Amino acid sequence: MDWRDRPRCDEVPAWRALAQHFQQRFSGTEAFDLRRAFNADAGRAEHFSLEAAGVYADLSKNLIDAEALTLLTGLARECGVEAHRDAMFSGAPINVSEQRAVTHVHWRMPGSAAPAADTGTDAAACLVTNAARARAEMLDFAESVRADPHISDVVNIGIGGSDLGPRLVVEALRASGHVDGPRLHFVANMDGHELAGLLPQLKPRSTLFIVASKSFGTAETVQNATSARDWFKAQGGQDIARHFVALSTNQAAAEAFGAGRCLGFDDGVGGRFSLWSSIGLSIAIAIGRAGFENLLAGAHAMDRHFADTPLERNLPVQLALLDLWYRNLHGLASRCVAPYHHGLRTLPAYLQQLEMESNGKRVDLRGRTLPFASAAVTWGQAGSNGQHAFFQQLHQGTDVVPVEFVLVRQAAHALPGHHAQLLAKALAQARALMLGQTGDVPARHFPGNRPSTILLLHDLSPHSLGTLLAMYEHRTFTLGSLWGLNSFDQWGVELGKRFAHDLIARLDHGDVAGLDASTAALITRLRQT
């Protein structure tokens, strides 16, 4: 099947068979019940578990049976997911709205490696070679910063994919003891309170500012970078070019700003997939060349699994199919992500951009309005904090929300008692969601039969973290492929930017002509002294 001629999930025979199976097995008074399923199948935990590149996934506590998984896997095959996947690895322009290849996977291939899918195309080989060259330049610079005794602080200024990915990786690996470079800080918000709160902690002569923006035109990043540069000069800083480095595809704009170096990457690297590219400079400074290469190696291991493993045992594919099952058959509107590791506390925010910006769309590649729901709302918080915030609703609320627990077997600290209790709490929550409880009064009744997934890592290292994040990327791609979407554009963020450009001037001069009454009244109120 040619990847360009793939049918949408609702256009293949498996879709109708899947809907029929759902009606027969998962609706009505005798609907599927997890407790009965475990009682009927002593091997359910084994039968519904997968392991890929060091990520163990227990799917057994989900509202699904073997027949549904078979039908879902057949659906993926009929939709041409394999051809679409292979086209991505081969360097084909699968980002059709922008007429680009999708190249983040090529940035994590070893320089001498063949494409993860054995297509043998010259395009893929060229992408790998170019990425390896740019990566070497970035890593050389990172090592020079790490070795510079005059640099004590590094500030990454970016937003969206230029912030969330690097911030998550640095926080995660700092918590697990892998960060040993200069102090790393992240600034993203247009709200000046974030930058203003950081600047008093810095000294101009010992600070390096990284300005990360693919276009070098992102309003938040340019404003924060400009304010940082103004502060640098006002504090007597010398040699702006030495203390400001740009990560961008727009070298001319970076040079005009005054950055002394611009580390580039190709247009095929999308923002939310960019931490593997030069955008990952802050990561490389934090964990060094060897650590960054291990991060890439972990991601590449998941790439190989995704490219080479049959759909039936392909972890990103099976997770995407489970997402489709819940969204389009069960009609569930959200998914909770609960990482039980302090280092992964920003994982839900990272996944919000990855999943909702990629697949939060209402029309397919052909411009047709979708007849089904697309991306669920992704949300969550680190465990066990979330247990004392929203787990009440997960257990007893009126909406069923699948919960994804992310666990790490080995702790990086030596405090006695903590980690065993943390893991026990996560396992207990998953068990309680499934089993429920018959209460002596209605308020103490837990309905149970509420789904969850356990994702387990052995430890939190650069390699294992790379594997986990690549798994989420491929899961997102697969789900978009099934829905007939382009997961690599984001036109939905543009309209608000355009309106903001107009309103900035109106806030200054007070002209509200032509605005809706609400916005006009708010501008008038905001201008009052």
Side-chain angles (χ1 to χ4, degrees):
M1 179 185 295
D2 191 302
W3 65 271
R4 289 161 291 200
D5 299 326
R6 297 174 302 104
R8 207 170 56 191
C9 60
D10 60 320
E11 298 171 329
V12 299
W15 179 264
R16 292 183 290 276
L18 190 65
Q20 183 179 21
H21 178 68
F22 178 82
Q23 288 299 321
Q24 294 174 345
R25 188 76 175 87
F26 290 86
S27 63
T29 56
E30 295 300 318
F32 178 89
D33 187 276
L34 279 167
R35 292 156 291 202
R36 291 199 302 267
F38 271 93
N39 288 336
D41 180 7
R44 181 175 172 86
E46 179 183 356
H47 299 155
F48 288 81
S49 295
L50 296 170
E51 188 163 9
V55 179
Y56 178 80
D58 179 0
L59 310 183
S60 64
K61 295 188 187 72
N62 282 285
L63 302 174
I64 199 161
D65 62 7
E67 177 64 17
L69 278 181
T70 299
L71 291 169
L72 284 163
T73 303
L75 180 80
R77 190 163 282 116
E78 291 179 16
C79 288
V81 166
E82 293 154 303
H84 199 195
R85 171 201 65 193
D86 295 347
M88 175 177 68
F89 283 115
S90 74
I94 66 168
N95 180 350
V96 294
S97 64
E98 297 174 312
Q99 299 182 334
R100 294 173 180 167
V102 171
T103 62
H104 61 278
V105 293
H106 302 98
W107 276 79
R108 54 212 194 198
M109 293 181 188
S112 59
D118 188 15
T119 59
T121 65
D122 291 338
C126 183
L127 289 169
V128 172
T129 299
N130 291 340
R133 186 180 301 116
R135 180 173 64 244
E137 180 185 3
M138 184 270 285
L139 291 176
D140 285 346
F141 181 72
E143 289 299 297
S144 72
V145 173
R146 286 170 57 84
D148 188 342
H150 303 294
I151 297 297
S152 61
D153 293 87
V154 175
V155 181
N156 187 90
I157 299 175
I159 198 166
S162 298
D163 169 76
L164 290 168
R167 186 192 294 254
L168 167 62
V169 173
V170 171
E171 286 182 353
L173 297 181
R174 178 185 289 134
S176 56
H178 294 277
V179 170
D180 61 359
R183 290 186 293 270
L184 262 293
H185 314 274
F186 292 87
V187 173
N189 204 328
M190 177 70 86
D191 185 347
H193 291 98
E194 184 174 29
L195 180 60
L198 172 63
L199 292 176
Q201 305 173 39
L202 307 175
K203 296 179 180 179
R205 66 178 180 274
S206 60
T207 301
L208 174 70
F209 290 94
I210 300 171
V211 185
S213 171
K214 184 175 181 178
S215 65
F216 215 86
T218 308
E220 293 89 346
T221 300
V222 171
Q223 181 63 65
N224 277 321
T226 300
S227 295
R229 184 183 59 186
D230 292 345
W231 169 87
F232 182 84
K233 292 189 290 186
Q235 295 294 315
Q238 302 293 319
D239 195 358
I240 289 175
R242 181 176 181 274
H243 288 268
F244 284 80
V245 58
L247 312 176
S248 180
T249 61
N250 190 346
Q251 184 169 350
E255 290 176 352
F257 175 84
R261 180 188 292 262
C262 181
L263 298 171
F265 48 97
D266 61 275
D267 283 338
V269 178
R272 54 192 174 276
F273 301 92
S274 65
L275 69 91
W276 323 100
S277 72
S278 300
I279 291 293
L281 174 62
S282 57
I283 302 172
I285 292 173
I287 63 176
R289 183 193 302 272
F292 193 84
E293 289 175 344
N294 281 333
L295 180 77
L296 299 181
H300 183 59
M302 184 58 71
D303 293 342
R304 298 298 314 189
H305 167 81
F306 180 55
D308 298 338
T309 305
L311 299 183
E312 290 79 3
R313 302 297 298 173
N314 195 306
L315 180 55
V317 171
Q318 292 298 313
L319 289 172
L321 291 170
L322 189 60
D323 292 338
L324 181 146
W325 172 249
Y326 282 139
R327 189 70 178 112
N328 298 134
L329 280 303
H330 285 268
L332 305 184
S334 79
R335 176 173 119 257
C336 175
V337 178
Y340 273 64
H341 193 294
H342 182 68
L344 296 174
R345 62 193 178 278
T346 55
L347 179 63
Y350 166 82
L351 292 177
Q352 284 174 340
Q353 187 199 20
L354 176 65
E355 299 178 0
M356 296 165 70
E357 194 170 81
S358 294
N359 293 332
K361 294 160 184 174
R362 59 183 296 275
V363 297
D364 68 11
L365 285 166
R366 302 176 190 175
R368 300 174 298 175
T369 301
L370 296 177
F372 48 75
S374 62
V377 174
T378 305
W379 60 282
Q381 186 180 350
S384 59
N385 297 15
Q387 294 176 205
H388 299 269
F390 50 78
F391 269 64
Q392 162 66 42
Q393 177 166 327
L394 295 177
H395 285 285
Q396 291 185 305
T398 55
D399 291 320
V400 175
V401 179
V403 183
E404 193 161 289
F405 296 92
V406 183
L407 311 184
V408 180
R409 181 180 177 186
Q410 289 189 347
H413 64 77
L415 297 174
H418 285 257
H419 202 58
Q421 289 194 64
L422 182 71
L423 296 176
K425 286 179 178 295
L427 297 178
Q429 291 298 323
R431 177 172 163 81
L433 285 165
M434 176 182 71
L435 294 179
Q437 173 183 280
T438 301
D440 51 352
V441 296
R444 293 176 181 165
H445 176 74
F446 292 70
N449 200 37
R450 301 211 163 181
S452 67
T453 295
I454 298 283
L455 298 176
L456 176 62
L457 304 178
H458 178 71
D459 59 6
L460 192 57
S461 65
H463 191 279
S464 65
L465 182 59
T467 302
L468 180 71
L469 299 185
M471 181 206 74
Y472 278 116
E473 289 180 346
H474 294 318
R475 172 187 189 168
T476 301
F477 163 79
T478 300
L479 189 54
S481 181
L482 291 163
W483 282 336
L485 304 176
N486 179 6
S487 298
F488 303 103
D489 63 12
Q490 54 281 330
W491 301 110
V493 305
E494 299 300 325
L495 184 60
K497 290 181 181 179
R498 180 158 56 84
F499 282 4
H501 182 74
D502 172 58
L503 295 181
I504 289 169
R506 290 176 181 269
L507 278 167
D508 181 50
H509 56 61
D511 178 16
V512 297
L515 294 177
D516 63 273
S518 171
T519 304
L522 288 167
I523 285 179
T524 300
R525 179 172 288 272
L526 287 167
R527 284 175 48 80
Q528 291 175 352
T529 57

